[in-house]
Amino acid sequence: MTDLKTDEPTTDDEVDKPVDLPETEPAAELPEPADSPRSPKRLRRRPSALVSALAAALIGAIVVAGVFAYQLEHRRSLDTSRTEAVDTARTFAVTLFTYSADSFDTYVENVLSGATGSLAETFAETSSDLQATLVEAGATSTAQVLDIAAESTAIDQVEVLVIIDQTASNATVTEPRQAVNAVVMTLEKQEDGRWLTSDVANPSAAR
């Protein structure tokens, strides 16, 4: 019998030695598929007609409210100007048409404190001549307002119609004379809020 030869046992290092495998090339990347021309496109959503109508109505309401608020505030300002000017005209009319030769200096001061513009200039220029006339005649006058109303009104200027009952006397007249006169007074609002009279005229001359 022949002896069977067996392979020599391998060492542990040879058993654990890794087997080198042939390198493989990486797989080629496939191109991304192009969008199909038949694929549906995304459409932008348009606001509905109802939303547009509501937006337009809201904007319109805001505009109308703003205009109404402005008109209301303007009307209130006009009412305030009218009231203040009429009250001032009532007082100034009595001051202007009530005078006495004995207290003429005080009269001039009171008139100039309530006058402005052309009225103040004219009165200041003619007050000396007026004083001489009143002193010579011994004239006095008292006045009261019978009726008063604003004819035209702006925020800073008001024309006021004043009906005045005036009683005048002098040294040559035994009985005082009474007369009813109408004047149109133009009042202007100053920066400090005061109302001053810039003109006094009869109604026919004021128009």
Side-chain angles (χ1 to χ4, degrees), residues 26-83:
E29 295 182 358
L30 297 177
E32 295 182 359
D35 293 338
S36 173
R38 296 183 180 180
S39 60
K41 295 182 179 180
R42 293 183 178 179
L43 299 178
R44 294 182 179 178
R45 298 182 62 184
R46 297 181 179 178
S48 65
L50 177 60
V51 174
S52 299
L54 290 176
L58 179 60
I59 294 174
I62 293 174
V63 172
V64 171
V67 172
F68 179 77
Y70 169 78
Q71 292 177 342
L72 180 61
E73 182 62 27
H74 185 67
R75 173 57 59 184
R76 288 176 177 173
S77 298
L78 289 178
D79 291 342
T80 300
S81 295
R82 183 183 300 108
T83 300

Side-chain angles (χ1 to χ4, degrees), residues 176-187:
R177 292 179 298 180
Q178 187 174 7
V180 176
N181 300 311
V183 295
V184 174
M185 306 174 68
T186 302
L187 291 95

Side-chain angles (χ1 to χ4, degrees), residues 6-180:
T6 60
D7 295 335
E8 295 181 358
T10 59
T11 63
D12 293 339
D13 292 338
E14 291 178 346
V15 173
D16 295 337
K17 184 177 181 181
V19 179
D20 294 333
L21 297 177
E23 295 182 357
T24 59
E25 295 182 358
E29 295 182 358
L30 297 177
E32 295 182 359
D35 293 338
S36 173
R38 296 183 180 180
S39 60
K41 295 182 179 180
R42 293 183 178 179
L43 299 178
R44 294 182 179 178
R45 298 182 62 184
R46 297 181 179 178
S48 65
L50 177 60
V51 174
S52 299
L54 290 176
L58 179 60
I59 294 174
I62 293 174
V63 172
V64 171
V67 172
F68 179 77
Y70 169 78
Q71 292 177 342
L72 180 61
E73 182 62 27
H74 185 67
R75 173 57 59 184
R76 288 176 177 173
S77 298
L78 289 178
D79 291 342
T80 300
S81 295
R82 183 183 300 108
T83 300
E84 294 176 350
V86 167
D87 290 343
T88 302
R90 186 190 305 275
T91 301
F92 188 73
V94 174
T95 299
L96 184 62
F97 292 97
T98 299
Y99 51 81
S100 172
D102 297 335
S103 58
F104 190 80
D105 291 340
T106 301
Y107 168 70
V108 172
E109 292 178 2
N110 292 338
V111 171
L112 291 179
S113 66
T116 189
S118 60
L119 177 62
E121 294 175 1
T122 301
F123 191 84
E125 292 174 356
T126 60
S127 60
S128 297
D129 295 338
L130 178 60
Q131 182 179 18
T133 301
L134 294 180
V135 170
E136 181 180 357
T140 60
S141 173
T142 58
Q144 62 178 346
V145 175
L146 298 179
D147 199 4
I148 188 170
E151 285 202 319
S152 64
T153 304
I155 297 298
D156 56 358
Q157 181 173 304
V158 180
E159 289 186 351
V160 182
L161 175 64
V162 188
I163 308 299
I164 302 168
D165 181 10
Q166 184 178 15
T167 302
S169 63
N170 57 55
T172 61
V173 178
T174 57
E175 293 293 333
R177 292 179 298 180
Q178 187 174 7
V180 176

